[in-house]
């Protein structure tokens, strides 16, 4: 159980609620934002002392039923409730490290997809495999080391990093992507508490990038799906593609597919990029 992260998460969710949200009078003498701790405790049918200890990171492990009561009181979404249980240790954790080996069958899919830019990404945003169209659309990942292939580092360059302080690959949704990265990394860190590499990445970004640190303190855990993405490519201009991220649940990885409607200007741009990539002699690769 990560008591400190659990405490911070509970405080952030309590402070966002107003008394009137749960049928209580707002009053005029409140000194802190949101609900009072004793109000949460009463509504969740637990002692105030125990709830205070939870928010101070001093409470022992508690049952799933108690946590469900707290989640209902704080009006947590299903994703937030799952994260609460994960932090409290009532959901199974991944005791090992983030999986970075891609199954051969997934590699075959990536290499054979026609007119589709495809990458496989680890739970902490390292690009593990890619095809030639992904190289043409984004970059030649084989020319980067592991740190350079991490999309979280591209989204949040740290102080002194050689990476440019602009959205990676000129994407139009840079702010939304940053929010997605932070929320996904929060879940990954909770799922892999023994992975020093993930913890190190989060610490590096928290201390080296003010935007990451600010978003991390918000404690948000429910990323909105990214349905489309626009790349600004130096050879073909703007390319707007459908973006589908398929979770490989047994691996903890994501197969990300970029496609365009047949016959569209964007499909033509992808086709041209495929030709340019083939002329450059690029081939599907893995890390």
């Amino acid at each position: 159980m990560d008591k400190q992260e659990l405490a911070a998460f509970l405080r952030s969710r309590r402070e966002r609620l107003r008394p009137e949200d749960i049928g209580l009078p707002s009053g005029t003498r409140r000194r802190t934002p949101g609900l009072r701790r004793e109000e949460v405790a009463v509504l969740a049918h637990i002692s105030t002392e125990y709830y205070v200890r939870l928010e101070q990171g001093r409470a022992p492990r508690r049952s799933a039923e108690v946590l469900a009561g707290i989640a209902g009181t704080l009006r947590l979404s299903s994703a937030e409730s799952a994260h609460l249980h994960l932090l409290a240790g009532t959901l199974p954790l991944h005791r090992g490290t983030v999986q970075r080996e891609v199954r051969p069958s997934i590699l075959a899919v990536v290499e054979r997809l026609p007119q589709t830019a495809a990458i496989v990404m680890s739970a902490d945003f390292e690009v593990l495999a890619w095809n030639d169209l992904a190289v043409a659309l984004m970059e030649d990942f084989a020319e980067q080391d592991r740190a350079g292939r991490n999309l979280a580092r591209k989204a949040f360059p740290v102080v002194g990093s050689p990476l440019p302080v602009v959205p990676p690959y000129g994407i139009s949704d840079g702010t939304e992507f940053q929010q997605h990265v932070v929320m996904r990394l929060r879940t990954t860190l909770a799922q892999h508490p023994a992975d020093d590499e993930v913890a190190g990445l989060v610490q590096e970004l928290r201390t080296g990038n003010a935007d990451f640190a600010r978003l991390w303190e918000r404690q948000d855990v429910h990323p909105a799906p990214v349905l489309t993405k626009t790349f600004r490519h130096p050879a073909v201009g703007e390319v707007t593609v459908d973006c589908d991220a398929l979770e490989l649940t047994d691996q903890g990885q994501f197969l990300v597919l970029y496609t365009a409607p047949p016959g569209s200007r964007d499909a033509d741009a992808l086709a041209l990029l495929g030709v340019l990539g083939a002329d450059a002699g690029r081939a599907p690769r893995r890390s």
Side-chain angles (χ1 to χ4, degrees), residues 243-257:
C243 178
D244 295 286
L246 311 178
E247 185 172 5
L248 309 175
T249 53
D250 62 322
Q251 298 287 95
Q253 297 170 351
F254 296 86
L255 173 60
V256 184
L257 307 175

Side-chain angles (χ1 to χ4, degrees), residues 44-56:
H45 306 291
I46 59 177
S47 72
T48 299
E49 179 186 2
Y50 178 74
Y51 185 78
V52 169
R53 292 176 68 190
L54 272 176
E55 282 204 7
Q56 292 177 342

Side-chain angles (χ1 to χ4, degrees), residues 130 134-144 149 169 282-283 285:
W130 53 90
V135 169
L137 178 64
M138 302 169 75
E139 67 175 332
D140 191 344
F141 297 102
E143 295 180 351
Q144 304 288 336
R149 288 197 299 270
Y169 316 117
R282 291 171 174 147
R285 302 182 182 122

